[in-house]
PDB file of all heavy atoms in Angstrom:
ATOM      1  N   LEU A 149      -8.964 -11.200  -5.326  1.00 96.00           N
ATOM      2  CA  LEU A 149      -9.127 -10.735  -3.945  1.00 96.00           C
ATOM      3  C   LEU A 149      -7.783 -10.663  -3.234  1.00 96.00           C
ATOM      4  O   LEU A 149      -7.477  -9.681  -2.537  1.00 96.00           O
ATOM      5  CB  LEU A 149     -10.080 -11.663  -3.184  1.00 96.00           C
ATOM      6  CG  LEU A 149     -11.541 -11.657  -3.623  1.00 96.00           C
ATOM      7  CD1 LEU A 149     -12.327 -12.730  -2.875  1.00 96.00           C
ATOM      8  CD2 LEU A 149     -12.175 -10.290  -3.389  1.00 96.00           C
ATOM      9  N   TYR A 150      -6.971 -11.699  -3.402  1.00 96.00           N
ATOM     10  CA  TYR A 150      -5.684 -11.714  -2.704  1.00 96.00           C
ATOM     11  C   TYR A 150      -4.683 -10.743  -3.322  1.00 96.00           C
ATOM     12  O   TYR A 150      -3.845 -10.166  -2.619  1.00 96.00           O
ATOM     13  CB  TYR A 150      -5.127 -13.138  -2.646  1.00 96.00           C
ATOM     14  CG  TYR A 150      -5.725 -13.904  -1.492  1.00 96.00           C
ATOM     15  CD1 TYR A 150      -6.879 -14.665  -1.654  1.00 96.00           C
ATOM     16  CD2 TYR A 150      -5.182 -13.817  -0.223  1.00 96.00           C
ATOM     17  CE1 TYR A 150      -7.450 -15.320  -0.595  1.00 96.00           C
ATOM     18  CE2 TYR A 150      -5.744 -14.472   0.853  1.00 96.00           C
ATOM     19  CZ  TYR A 150      -6.889 -15.225   0.663  1.00 96.00           C
ATOM     20  OH  TYR A 150      -7.466 -15.869   1.737  1.00 96.00           O
ATOM     21  N   LEU A 151      -4.767 -10.522  -4.620  1.00 95.00           N
ATOM     22  CA  LEU A 151      -3.917  -9.514  -5.238  1.00 95.00           C
ATOM     23  C   LEU A 151      -4.306  -8.116  -4.771  1.00 95.00           C
ATOM     24  O   LEU A 151      -3.450  -7.253  -4.557  1.00 95.00           O
ATOM     25  CB  LEU A 151      -3.998  -9.612  -6.767  1.00 95.00           C
ATOM     26  CG  LEU A 151      -3.277 -10.815  -7.373  1.00 95.00           C
ATOM     27  CD1 LEU A 151      -3.638 -10.974  -8.846  1.00 95.00           C
ATOM     28  CD2 LEU A 151      -1.762 -10.680  -7.211  1.00 95.00           C
ATOM     29  N   GLN A 152      -5.602  -7.884  -4.601  1.00 95.00           N
ATOM     30  CA  GLN A 152      -6.031  -6.586  -4.076  1.00 95.00           C
ATOM     31  C   GLN A 152      -5.522  -6.384  -2.652  1.00 95.00           C
ATOM     32  O   GLN A 152      -5.032  -5.313  -2.291  1.00 95.00           O
ATOM     33  CB  GLN A 152      -7.552  -6.461  -4.097  1.00 95.00           C
ATOM     34  CG  GLN A 152      -8.019  -5.118  -3.509  1.00 95.00           C
ATOM     35  CD  GLN A 152      -9.509  -4.893  -3.628  1.00 95.00           C
ATOM     36  OE1 GLN A 152     -10.130  -5.340  -4.589  1.00 95.00           O
ATOM     37  NE2 GLN A 152     -10.080  -4.199  -2.657  1.00 95.00           N
ATOM     38  N   MET A 153      -5.631  -7.435  -1.816  1.00 96.00           N
ATOM     39  CA  MET A 153      -5.167  -7.309  -0.438  1.00 96.00           C
ATOM     40  C   MET A 153      -3.673  -6.999  -0.377  1.00 96.00           C
ATOM     41  O   MET A 153      -3.237  -6.153   0.408  1.00 96.00           O
ATOM     42  CB  MET A 153      -5.475  -8.601   0.340  1.00 96.00           C
ATOM     43  CG  MET A 153      -6.898  -8.729   0.820  1.00 96.00           C
ATOM     44  SD  MET A 153      -7.150 -10.141   1.940  1.00 96.00           S
ATOM     45  CE  MET A 153      -7.519 -11.441   0.776  1.00 96.00           C
ATOM     46  N   THR A 154      -2.875  -7.695  -1.204  1.00 94.00           N
ATOM     47  CA  THR A 154      -1.426  -7.548  -1.113  1.00 94.00           C
ATOM     48  C   THR A 154      -0.915  -6.314  -1.853  1.00 94.00           C
ATOM     49  O   THR A 154      -0.097  -5.557  -1.315  1.00 94.00           O
ATOM     50  CB  THR A 154      -0.716  -8.802  -1.654  1.00 94.00           C
ATOM     51  OG1 THR A 154      -1.237  -9.127  -2.954  1.00 94.00           O
ATOM     52  CG2 THR A 154      -0.921  -9.985  -0.730  1.00 94.00           C
ATOM     53  N   LEU A 155      -1.388  -6.077  -3.081  1.00 92.00           N
ATOM     54  CA  LEU A 155      -0.834  -5.012  -3.897  1.00 92.00           C
ATOM     55  C   LEU A 155      -1.500  -3.658  -3.679  1.00 92.00           C
ATOM     56  O   LEU A 155      -0.858  -2.616  -3.850  1.00 92.00           O
ATOM     57  CB  LEU A 155      -0.932  -5.372  -5.388  1.00 92.00           C
ATOM     58  CG  LEU A 155      -0.251  -6.671  -5.822  1.00 92.00           C
ATOM     59  CD1 LEU A 155      -0.353  -6.828  -7.332  1.00 92.00           C
ATOM     60  CD2 LEU A 155       1.198  -6.711  -5.383  1.00 92.00           C
ATOM     61  N   VAL A 156      -2.774  -3.664  -3.303  1.00 93.00           N
ATOM     62  CA  VAL A 156      -3.519  -2.404  -3.183  1.00 93.00           C
ATOM     63  C   VAL A 156      -3.723  -2.008  -1.722  1.00 93.00           C
ATOM     64  O   VAL A 156      -3.352  -0.905  -1.304  1.00 93.00           O
ATOM     65  CB  VAL A 156      -4.888  -2.508  -3.898  1.00 93.00           C
ATOM     66  CG1 VAL A 156      -5.648  -1.183  -3.798  1.00 93.00           C
ATOM     67  CG2 VAL A 156      -4.700  -2.896  -5.354  1.00 93.00           C
ATOM     68  N   ASP A 157      -4.292  -2.920  -0.926  1.00 94.00           N
ATOM     69  CA  ASP A 157      -4.634  -2.577   0.455  1.00 94.00           C
ATOM     70  C   ASP A 157      -3.430  -2.650   1.393  1.00 94.00           C
ATOM     71  O   ASP A 157      -3.358  -1.908   2.373  1.00 94.00           O
ATOM     72  CB  ASP A 157      -5.734  -3.508   0.981  1.00 94.00           C
ATOM     73  CG  ASP A 157      -7.016  -3.398   0.176  1.00 94.00           C
ATOM     74  OD1 ASP A 157      -7.231  -2.330  -0.435  1.00 94.00           O
ATOM     75  OD2 ASP A 157      -7.796  -4.363   0.156  1.00 94.00           O
ATOM     76  N   GLY A 158      -2.516  -3.574   1.143  1.00 93.00           N
ATOM     77  CA  GLY A 158      -1.344  -3.702   1.997  1.00 93.00           C
ATOM     78  C   GLY A 158      -1.611  -4.379   3.321  1.00 93.00           C
ATOM     79  O   GLY A 158      -0.756  -4.386   4.209  1.00 93.00           O
ATOM     80  N   ILE A 159      -2.771  -4.972   3.490  1.00 94.00           N
ATOM     81  CA  ILE A 159      -3.079  -5.766   4.681  1.00 94.00           C
ATOM     82  C   ILE A 159      -3.846  -6.985   4.202  1.00 94.00           C
ATOM     83  O   ILE A 159      -4.842  -6.855   3.483  1.00 94.00           O
ATOM     84  CB  ILE A 159      -3.877  -4.954   5.726  1.00 94.00           C
ATOM     85  CG1 ILE A 159      -4.173  -5.819   6.956  1.00 94.00           C
ATOM     86  CG2 ILE A 159      -5.133  -4.343   5.136  1.00 94.00           C
ATOM     87  CD1 ILE A 159      -4.729  -5.011   8.140  1.00 94.00           C
ATOM     88  N   PHE A 160      -3.392  -8.186   4.586  1.00 94.00           N
ATOM     89  CA  PHE A 160      -3.963  -9.354   3.923  1.00 94.00           C
ATOM     90  C   PHE A 160      -4.026 -10.584   4.830  1.00 94.00           C
ATOM     91  O   PHE A 160      -3.251 -10.740   5.766  1.00 94.00           O
ATOM     92  CB  PHE A 160      -3.154  -9.696   2.660  1.00 94.00           C
ATOM     93  CG  PHE A 160      -1.696  -9.984   2.923  1.00 94.00           C
ATOM     94  CD1 PHE A 160      -1.237 -11.286   3.076  1.00 94.00           C
ATOM     95  CD2 PHE A 160      -0.772  -8.953   3.008  1.00 94.00           C
ATOM     96  CE1 PHE A 160       0.106 -11.561   3.303  1.00 94.00           C
ATOM     97  CE2 PHE A 160       0.577  -9.216   3.236  1.00 94.00           C
ATOM     98  CZ  PHE A 160       1.015 -10.519   3.385  1.00 94.00           C
ATOM     99  N   HIS A 161      -4.996 -11.423   4.514  1.00 94.00           N
ATOM    100  CA  HIS A 161      -5.163 -12.749   5.094  1.00 94.00           C
ATOM    101  C   HIS A 161      -4.050 -13.618   4.531  1.00 94.00           C
ATOM    102  O   HIS A 161      -3.882 -13.728   3.320  1.00 94.00           O
ATOM    103  CB  HIS A 161      -6.537 -13.273   4.670  1.00 94.00           C
ATOM    104  CG  HIS A 161      -6.874 -14.640   5.157  1.00 94.00           C
ATOM    105  ND1 HIS A 161      -6.862 -15.737   4.314  1.00 94.00           N
ATOM    106  CD2 HIS A 161      -7.246 -15.104   6.370  1.00 94.00           C
ATOM    107  CE1 HIS A 161      -7.228 -16.815   5.004  1.00 94.00           C
ATOM    108  NE2 HIS A 161      -7.461 -16.459   6.247  1.00 94.00           N
ATOM    109  N   ALA A 162      -3.229 -14.231   5.406  1.00 90.00           N
ATOM    110  CA  ALA A 162      -2.015 -14.896   4.926  1.00 90.00           C
ATOM    111  C   ALA A 162      -2.063 -16.412   5.017  1.00 90.00           C
ATOM    112  O   ALA A 162      -1.032 -17.069   4.903  1.00 90.00           O
ATOM    113  CB  ALA A 162      -0.809 -14.372   5.709  1.00 90.00           C
ATOM    114  N   ASP A 163      -3.252 -16.990   5.216  1.00 87.00           N
ATOM    115  CA  ASP A 163      -3.330 -18.452   5.338  1.00 87.00           C
ATOM    116  C   ASP A 163      -4.531 -18.983   4.557  1.00 87.00           C
ATOM    117  O   ASP A 163      -5.469 -19.552   5.138  1.00 87.00           O
ATOM    118  CB  ASP A 163      -3.440 -18.833   6.822  1.00 87.00           C
ATOM    119  CG  ASP A 163      -3.099 -20.299   7.063  1.00 87.00           C
ATOM    120  OD1 ASP A 163      -2.498 -20.929   6.172  1.00 87.00           O
ATOM    121  OD2 ASP A 163      -3.438 -20.812   8.140  1.00 87.00           O
ATOM    122  N   PRO A 164      -4.521 -18.821   3.226  1.00 90.00           N
ATOM    123  CA  PRO A 164      -5.693 -19.188   2.416  1.00 90.00           C
ATOM    124  C   PRO A 164      -5.759 -20.663   2.019  1.00 90.00           C
ATOM    125  O   PRO A 164      -6.142 -20.982   0.897  1.00 90.00           O
ATOM    126  CB  PRO A 164      -5.529 -18.303   1.182  1.00 90.00           C
ATOM    127  CG  PRO A 164      -4.054 -18.196   1.007  1.00 90.00           C
ATOM    128  CD  PRO A 164      -3.471 -18.183   2.403  1.00 90.00           C
ATOM    129  N   HIS A 165      -5.371 -21.577   2.937  1.00 85.00           N
ATOM    130  CA  HIS A 165      -5.484 -22.994   2.571  1.00 85.00           C
ATOM    131  C   HIS A 165      -6.966 -23.375   2.516  1.00 85.00           C
ATOM    132  O   HIS A 165      -7.830 -22.651   3.048  1.00 85.00           O
ATOM    133  CB  HIS A 165      -4.682 -23.871   3.530  1.00 85.00           C
ATOM    134  CG  HIS A 165      -5.239 -23.982   4.909  1.00 85.00           C
ATOM    135  ND1 HIS A 165      -6.355 -24.724   5.216  1.00 85.00           N
ATOM    136  CD2 HIS A 165      -4.820 -23.447   6.089  1.00 85.00           C
ATOM    137  CE1 HIS A 165      -6.601 -24.655   6.508  1.00 85.00           C
ATOM    138  NE2 HIS A 165      -5.698 -23.887   7.060  1.00 85.00           N
ATOM    139  N   PRO A 166      -7.322 -24.480   1.854  1.00 85.00           N
ATOM    140  CA  PRO A 166      -8.735 -24.814   1.607  1.00 85.00           C
ATOM    141  C   PRO A 166      -9.613 -24.825   2.847  1.00 85.00           C
ATOM    142  O   PRO A 166     -10.814 -24.548   2.749  1.00 85.00           O
ATOM    143  CB  PRO A 166      -8.645 -26.196   0.962  1.00 85.00           C
ATOM    144  CG  PRO A 166      -7.323 -26.204   0.279  1.00 85.00           C
ATOM    145  CD  PRO A 166      -6.407 -25.431   1.179  1.00 85.00           C
ATOM    146  N   GLY A 167      -9.070 -25.138   4.025  1.00 84.00           N
ATOM    147  CA  GLY A 167      -9.883 -25.132   5.227  1.00 84.00           C
ATOM    148  C   GLY A 167     -10.311 -23.749   5.664  1.00 84.00           C
ATOM    149  O   GLY A 167     -11.248 -23.596   6.458  1.00 84.00           O
ATOM    150  N   ASN A 168      -9.639 -22.714   5.160  1.00 91.00           N
ATOM    151  CA  ASN A 168      -9.947 -21.339   5.545  1.00 91.00           C
ATOM    152  C   ASN A 168     -10.678 -20.554   4.469  1.00 91.00           C
ATOM    153  O   ASN A 168     -10.868 -19.340   4.601  1.00 91.00           O
ATOM    154  CB  ASN A 168      -8.657 -20.589   5.913  1.00 91.00           C
ATOM    155  CG  ASN A 168      -8.062 -21.069   7.217  1.00 91.00           C
ATOM    156  OD1 ASN A 168      -8.752 -21.636   8.062  1.00 91.00           O
ATOM    157  ND2 ASN A 168      -6.773 -20.864   7.392  1.00 91.00           N
ATOM    158  N   VAL A 169     -11.056 -21.227   3.391  1.00 95.00           N
ATOM    159  CA  VAL A 169     -11.774 -20.568   2.294  1.00 95.00           C
ATOM    160  C   VAL A 169     -13.018 -21.386   1.969  1.00 95.00           C
ATOM    161  O   VAL A 169     -12.922 -22.591   1.726  1.00 95.00           O
ATOM    162  CB  VAL A 169     -10.887 -20.439   1.034  1.00 95.00           C
ATOM    163  CG1 VAL A 169     -11.648 -19.723  -0.082  1.00 95.00           C
ATOM    164  CG2 VAL A 169      -9.584 -19.695   1.359  1.00 95.00           C
ATOM    165  N   ALA A 170     -14.170 -20.723   1.984  1.00 96.00           N
ATOM    166  CA  ALA A 170     -15.431 -21.406   1.684  1.00 96.00           C
ATOM    167  C   ALA A 170     -16.205 -20.611   0.635  1.00 96.00           C
ATOM    168  O   ALA A 170     -15.854 -19.469   0.307  1.00 96.00           O
ATOM    169  CB  ALA A 170     -16.266 -21.580   2.958  1.00 96.00           C
ATOM    170  N   VAL A 171     -17.254 -21.239   0.110  1.00 97.00           N
ATOM    171  CA  VAL A 171     -18.061 -20.616  -0.937  1.00 97.00           C
ATOM    172  C   VAL A 171     -19.532 -20.776  -0.582  1.00 97.00           C
ATOM    173  O   VAL A 171     -19.967 -21.865  -0.186  1.00 97.00           O
ATOM    174  CB  VAL A 171     -17.782 -21.263  -2.318  1.00 97.00           C
ATOM    175  CG1 VAL A 171     -18.541 -20.534  -3.407  1.00 97.00           C
ATOM    176  CG2 VAL A 171     -16.286 -21.275  -2.616  1.00 97.00           C
ATOM    177  N   GLN A 172     -20.302 -19.699  -0.719  1.00 97.00           N
ATOM    178  CA  GLN A 172     -21.738 -19.751  -0.486  1.00 97.00           C
ATOM    179  C   GLN A 172     -22.467 -20.060  -1.793  1.00 97.00           C
ATOM    180  O   GLN A 172     -21.880 -19.942  -2.876  1.00 97.00           O
ATOM    181  CB  GLN A 172     -22.209 -18.432   0.122  1.00 97.00           C
ATOM    182  CG  GLN A 172     -21.607 -18.173   1.493  1.00 97.00           C
ATOM    183  CD  GLN A 172     -22.164 -16.938   2.175  1.00 97.00           C
ATOM    184  OE1 GLN A 172     -22.363 -15.906   1.541  1.00 97.00           O
ATOM    185  NE2 GLN A 172     -22.405 -17.033   3.474  1.00 97.00           N
ATOM    186  N   PRO A 173     -23.731 -20.463  -1.728  1.00 96.00           N
ATOM    187  CA  PRO A 173     -24.453 -20.871  -2.944  1.00 96.00           C
ATOM    188  C   PRO A 173     -24.475 -19.827  -4.053  1.00 96.00           C
ATOM    189  O   PRO A 173     -24.548 -20.177  -5.237  1.00 96.00           O
ATOM    190  CB  PRO A 173     -25.875 -21.150  -2.421  1.00 96.00           C
ATOM    191  CG  PRO A 173     -25.658 -21.579  -1.003  1.00 96.00           C
ATOM    192  CD  PRO A 173     -24.523 -20.734  -0.501  1.00 96.00           C
ATOM    193  N   ASP A 174     -24.408 -18.541  -3.707  1.00 95.00           N
ATOM    194  CA  ASP A 174     -24.418 -17.500  -4.742  1.00 95.00           C
ATOM    195  C   ASP A 174     -23.022 -17.185  -5.273  1.00 95.00           C
ATOM    196  O   ASP A 174     -22.844 -16.262  -6.075  1.00 95.00           O
ATOM    197  CB  ASP A 174     -25.072 -16.222  -4.216  1.00 95.00           C
ATOM    198  CG  ASP A 174     -24.295 -15.602  -3.057  1.00 95.00           C
ATOM    199  OD1 ASP A 174     -23.300 -16.210  -2.607  1.00 95.00           O
ATOM    200  OD2 ASP A 174     -24.688 -14.510  -2.594  1.00 95.00           O
ATOM    201  N   GLY A 175     -22.005 -17.959  -4.810  1.00 96.00           N
ATOM    202  CA  GLY A 175     -20.647 -17.756  -5.296  1.00 96.00           C
ATOM    203  C   GLY A 175     -19.793 -16.846  -4.426  1.00 96.00           C
ATOM    204  O   GLY A 175     -18.601 -16.661  -4.706  1.00 96.00           O
ATOM    205  N   THR A 176     -20.378 -16.294  -3.367  1.00 97.00           N
ATOM    206  CA  THR A 176     -19.611 -15.424  -2.464  1.00 97.00           C
ATOM    207  C   THR A 176     -18.524 -16.235  -1.765  1.00 97.00           C
ATOM    208  O   THR A 176     -18.781 -17.324  -1.249  1.00 97.00           O
ATOM    209  CB  THR A 176     -20.534 -14.785  -1.405  1.00 97.00           C
ATOM    210  OG1 THR A 176     -21.534 -14.011  -2.068  1.00 97.00           O
ATOM    211  CG2 THR A 176     -19.743 -13.896  -0.458  1.00 97.00           C
ATOM    212  N   ILE A 177     -17.321 -15.686  -1.737  1.00 98.00           N
ATOM    213  CA  ILE A 177     -16.192 -16.341  -1.064  1.00 98.00           C
ATOM    214  C   ILE A 177     -16.163 -15.918   0.399  1.00 98.00           C
ATOM    215  O   ILE A 177     -16.292 -14.737   0.721  1.00 98.00           O
ATOM    216  CB  ILE A 177     -14.868 -15.975  -1.750  1.00 98.00           C
ATOM    217  CG1 ILE A 177     -14.822 -16.583  -3.159  1.00 98.00           C
ATOM    218  CG2 ILE A 177     -13.667 -16.453  -0.930  1.00 98.00           C
ATOM    219  CD1 ILE A 177     -13.613 -16.161  -3.976  1.00 98.00           C
ATOM    220  N   VAL A 178     -15.993 -16.892   1.295  1.00 98.00           N
ATOM    221  CA  VAL A 178     -15.917 -16.625   2.733  1.00 98.00           C
ATOM    222  C   VAL A 178     -14.496 -16.924   3.203  1.00 98.00           C
ATOM    223  O   VAL A 178     -13.946 -17.987   2.877  1.00 98.00           O
ATOM    224  CB  VAL A 178     -16.923 -17.495   3.523  1.00 98.00           C
ATOM    225  CG1 VAL A 178     -16.888 -17.134   5.010  1.00 98.00           C
ATOM    226  CG2 VAL A 178     -18.328 -17.344   2.963  1.00 98.00           C
ATOM    227  N   LEU A 179     -13.915 -16.000   3.961  1.00 97.00           N
ATOM    228  CA  LEU A 179     -12.575 -16.195   4.501  1.00 97.00           C
ATOM    229  C   LEU A 179     -12.639 -16.366   6.011  1.00 97.00           C
ATOM    230  O   LEU A 179     -13.303 -15.589   6.702  1.00 97.00           O
ATOM    231  CB  LEU A 179     -11.671 -15.000   4.161  1.00 97.00           C
ATOM    232  CG  LEU A 179     -11.479 -14.694   2.671  1.00 97.00           C
ATOM    233  CD1 LEU A 179     -10.542 -13.501   2.500  1.00 97.00           C
ATOM    234  CD2 LEU A 179     -10.947 -15.897   1.914  1.00 97.00           C
ATOM    235  N   TYR A 180     -11.930 -17.387   6.515  1.00 94.00           N
ATOM    236  CA  TYR A 180     -11.872 -17.660   7.945  1.00 94.00           C
ATOM    237  C   TYR A 180     -10.422 -17.589   8.432  1.00 94.00           C
ATOM    238  O   TYR A 180      -9.489 -17.710   7.658  1.00 94.00           O
ATOM    239  CB  TYR A 180     -12.393 -19.076   8.259  1.00 94.00           C
ATOM    240  CG  TYR A 180     -13.764 -19.411   7.739  1.00 94.00           C
ATOM    241  CD1 TYR A 180     -13.932 -20.408   6.772  1.00 94.00           C
ATOM    242  CD2 TYR A 180     -14.893 -18.769   8.228  1.00 94.00           C
ATOM    243  CE1 TYR A 180     -15.195 -20.756   6.309  1.00 94.00           C
ATOM    244  CE2 TYR A 180     -16.166 -19.108   7.769  1.00 94.00           C
ATOM    245  CZ  TYR A 180     -16.307 -20.098   6.804  1.00 94.00           C
ATOM    246  OH  TYR A 180     -17.558 -20.441   6.354  1.00 94.00           O
ATOM    247  N   ASP A 181     -10.273 -17.435   9.736  1.00 92.00           N
ATOM    248  CA  ASP A 181      -8.981 -17.571  10.431  1.00 92.00           C
ATOM    249  C   ASP A 181      -7.955 -16.537   9.971  1.00 92.00           C
ATOM    250  O   ASP A 181      -7.184 -16.762   9.035  1.00 92.00           O
ATOM    251  CB  ASP A 181      -8.414 -18.979  10.247  1.00 92.00           C
ATOM    252  CG  ASP A 181      -7.260 -19.256  11.218  1.00 92.00           C
ATOM    253  OD1 ASP A 181      -6.813 -18.300  11.885  1.00 92.00           O
ATOM    254  OD2 ASP A 181      -6.820 -20.404  11.300  1.00 92.00           O
ATOM    255  N   PHE A 182      -7.931 -15.411  10.676  1.00 94.00           N
ATOM    256  CA  PHE A 182      -7.025 -14.321  10.342  1.00 94.00           C
ATOM    257  C   PHE A 182      -5.848 -14.239  11.312  1.00 94.00           C
ATOM    258  O   PHE A 182      -5.227 -13.190  11.462  1.00 94.00           O
ATOM    259  CB  PHE A 182      -7.798 -12.994  10.316  1.00 94.00           C
ATOM    260  CG  PHE A 182      -8.724 -12.876   9.144  1.00 94.00           C
ATOM    261  CD1 PHE A 182      -9.932 -13.576   9.115  1.00 94.00           C
ATOM    262  CD2 PHE A 182      -8.400 -12.101   8.049  1.00 94.00           C
ATOM    263  CE1 PHE A 182     -10.782 -13.488   8.027  1.00 94.00           C
ATOM    264  CE2 PHE A 182      -9.239 -12.011   6.947  1.00 94.00           C
ATOM    265  CZ  PHE A 182     -10.443 -12.708   6.931  1.00 94.00           C
ATOM    266  N   GLY A 183      -5.556 -15.366  11.970  1.00 90.00           N
ATOM    267  CA  GLY A 183      -4.441 -15.382  12.898  1.00 90.00           C
ATOM    268  C   GLY A 183      -3.124 -15.108  12.205  1.00 90.00           C
ATOM    269  O   GLY A 183      -2.239 -14.442  12.748  1.00 90.00           O
ATOM    270  N   MET A 184      -2.970 -15.627  10.992  1.00 88.00           N
ATOM    271  CA  MET A 184      -1.777 -15.350  10.198  1.00 88.00           C
ATOM    272  C   MET A 184      -2.141 -14.283   9.177  1.00 88.00           C
ATOM    273  O   MET A 184      -2.937 -14.533   8.267  1.00 88.00           O
ATOM    274  CB  MET A 184      -1.269 -16.616   9.505  1.00 88.00           C
ATOM    275  CG  MET A 184       0.074 -16.423   8.804  1.00 88.00           C
ATOM    276  SD  MET A 184       0.694 -17.948   8.036  1.00 88.00           S
ATOM    277  CE  MET A 184       1.046 -18.929   9.503  1.00 88.00           C
ATOM    278  N   ALA A 185      -1.605 -13.099   9.357  1.00 90.00           N
ATOM    279  CA  ALA A 185      -1.928 -11.973   8.476  1.00 90.00           C
ATOM    280  C   ALA A 185      -0.672 -11.139   8.267  1.00 90.00           C
ATOM    281  O   ALA A 185       0.288 -11.217   9.031  1.00 90.00           O
ATOM    282  CB  ALA A 185      -3.039 -11.121   9.068  1.00 90.00           C
TER     283      ALA A 185
END
């Protein structure tokens, strides 16, 4: 996901520390806090 954001899309979430990344029961990744991008 982060390689796609940086290498392909050119716009990315820049603060992926554990407090800003969560997981739902089906394995979906949730991203929070886009203040640093």
Side-chain angles (χ1 to χ4, degrees):
L149 292 174
Y150 277 91
L151 287 169
Q152 178 175 327
M153 280 189 272
T154 51
L155 302 184
V156 181
D157 299 335
I159 180 169
F160 59 96
H161 179 254
D163 197 16
H165 70 74
N168 289 337
V169 181
V171 185
Q172 296 186 319
D174 63 355
T176 300
I177 293 174
V178 184
L179 301 181
Y180 306 115
D181 194 351
F182 289 76
M184 187 178 292

